Amino acid sequence: MRKMDDGAQRQAAASAVLTPRSRQVDAGNLRGFEAAARLGSFTAAADALALTQSALSRQIQTLEVSVGVPLFVREGPRVRLSPAGEQFAVVVRQALQQLDAAVEGLRASQGRPRVQITTFASLASQWLIPRLGDFQSAHPDIDIAVETFDNLSDLEAGGLDIAIRRLRDDNPLARAPHTAFLFGEQITPVCSPALAQTGRAPGALDDLPRCVWIDDVRIHSAPPIARANLQALSWGGWYAGLGLPQPEPQRWLRFNYTYQVIQAAVAGQGVAMGQIGLIRDLLAAGTLIAPVGRRVDAGYGYYLAVRSGAQQRPEVAAMLDWLQQQFEAWRAIEIGG
């Protein structure tokens, strides 16, 4: 018998691997497929669904085996849909949207209107929650659910209506459908004015190493990708933006949430690296000051995203209008530095 050449062997192996096991497809794998098809990246899809990349890859592989054809073409870290995958994506997206719409209709028929919002913990505690009373006063008939996640949640997976996200400029979710850019992020050292009155605040850049620096401990303990993202918002990212090496401070004071870092700064416990997108009102009120006054663009922006079709519900439309008004008022706040 003549030996097959390498190309024929690879083709035969691929066909064997993708031989359908059954005619039924595990519906649980369709969310992962749709997210990867929409974002063009297994990594971004895994982040959106709060999965590990390996778990998302297994879902896609299982789905390809069930369907019997390759759905993606792998090109290094990027992926693109195969011709069969493009056809399948259209059907899956329509099916998921119809399913989500049916679920929303059932929920709406069973009780009070409700809006579900997702964001990260620091924005929820420092920006959103202090303002929500205004919306509740204007719309007492609408229930609100706020969920905070460190990982980005996939709105198309259902259940969540609106997301307020902080994304790197190159993140595919920044260009996703129904997503609007709000503003960019800048960072600068901040502290309590009471610290300045005691002489423990920096008066200039060279004074910073003589201060206590308040920091986010996750920068040192997070997985490599998350650590790199956090670094851009940290002391190291700020000094890098100035083109300077980072010195060591007199002492570190570390917490594992940004809002805790800011609370410590307000309490006069040291100097924190402030994200102006979160503390603009504190700077305007004089609760915090920026003694050095040198801002660095962090490479991040804030985005408002809404799940497909959700804006057609009156309660979601009301929340979106209110959020846009709140962000416009926020951008109008004058701060020095």
Side-chain angles (χ1 to χ4, degrees), residues 22-305:
S22 70
R23 294 184 180 179
Q24 293 183 336
V25 170
D26 185 348
N29 297 327
L30 297 181
R31 295 286 184 188
F33 166 74
E34 193 281 329
R38 174 162 40 85
L39 299 173
S41 165
F42 285 3
T43 300
D47 286 343
L49 293 171
L51 297 172
T52 64
Q53 184 176 351
S54 60
L56 190 284
S57 296
R58 287 195 296 272
Q59 287 188 3
I60 300 298
Q61 291 169 358
T62 300
L63 184 61
E64 288 179 321
V65 169
S66 297
V67 175
V69 296
L71 299 174
F72 288 95
V73 177
R74 279 73 169 175
E75 299 174 332
R78 301 291 298 175
V79 296
R80 60 181 174 85
L81 288 169
S82 67
E86 291 179 355
Q87 297 178 20
F88 192 53
V90 173
V91 176
V92 169
R93 192 167 293 118
Q94 291 176 346
L96 291 177
Q97 288 175 353
Q98 291 175 355
L99 177 62
D100 291 340
V103 171
E104 288 301 325
L106 291 172
R107 288 173 177 166
S109 67
Q110 296 300 311
R112 292 159 52 90
R114 182 172 70 158
V115 179
Q116 292 187 275
I117 305 173
T118 180
T119 189
F120 53 99
S122 295
L123 188 140
S125 61
Q126 293 178 244
W127 190 92
L128 180 60
I129 292 174
R131 291 167 168 81
L132 270 181
D134 177 75
F135 181 85
Q136 291 176 301
S137 296
H139 303 279
D141 58 326
I142 298 176
D143 290 341
I144 305 167
V146 179
E147 300 186 21
T148 59
F149 298 101
D150 288 335
N151 293 319
L152 297 172
S153 300
D154 187 357
L155 294 182
E156 301 305 323
L160 297 168
D161 301 308
I162 297 170
I164 307 170
R165 291 169 166 161
R166 183 178 60 205
L167 304 171
R168 289 189 60 85
D169 300 340
D170 58 357
N171 191 309
L173 287 174
R175 297 175 296 280
H178 312 294
T179 300
F181 174 78
L182 296 170
F183 49 85
E185 182 62 282
Q186 294 180 316
I187 55 176
T188 191
V190 297
C191 66
S192 166
L195 201 67
Q197 294 169 6
T198 64
R200 292 181 292 136
L205 181 64
D206 292 342
D207 296 332
L208 280 170
R210 292 191 287 273
C211 300
V212 176
W213 287 5
I214 310 173
D215 196 23
D216 190 329
V217 72
R218 293 175 299 166
I219 294 169
H220 312 279
S221 60
I225 294 178
R227 192 183 313 143
N229 292 339
L230 289 166
Q231 182 72 12
L233 299 162
S234 71
W235 285 97
W238 184 73
Y239 272 101
L242 295 178
L244 298 172
Q246 177 193 318
E248 278 295 307
Q250 176 193 99
R251 188 170 70 253
W252 289 100
L253 176 60
R254 291 187 168 117
F255 299 91
N256 65 342
Y257 283 104
T258 302
Y259 70 86
Q260 296 169 341
V261 170
I262 296 304
Q263 286 175 344
V266 170
Q269 296 172 8
V271 183
M273 186 52 57
Q275 298 168 27
I276 295 177
L278 297 179
I279 62 170
R280 192 180 190 97
D281 46 1
L282 296 177
L283 291 170
T287 306
L288 289 174
I289 60 173
V292 177
R294 300 182 68 171
R295 302 181 191 173
V296 167
D297 288 331
Y300 277 83
Y302 292 81
Y303 295 81
L304 183 63

Side-chain angles (χ1 to χ4, degrees), residues 298-336:
Y300 277 83
Y302 292 81
Y303 295 81
L304 183 63
V306 59
R307 181 165 50 82
S308 301
Q311 67 270 33
Q312 298 174 6
R313 289 164 34 217
E315 62 272 20
V316 175
M319 176 61 77
L320 287 171
D321 288 344
W322 178 80
L323 285 171
Q324 292 284 8
Q325 292 170 10
Q326 294 296 316
F327 281 120
E328 288 174 9
W330 181 95
R331 286 192 294 265
I333 295 175
E334 296 290 339
I335 57 174

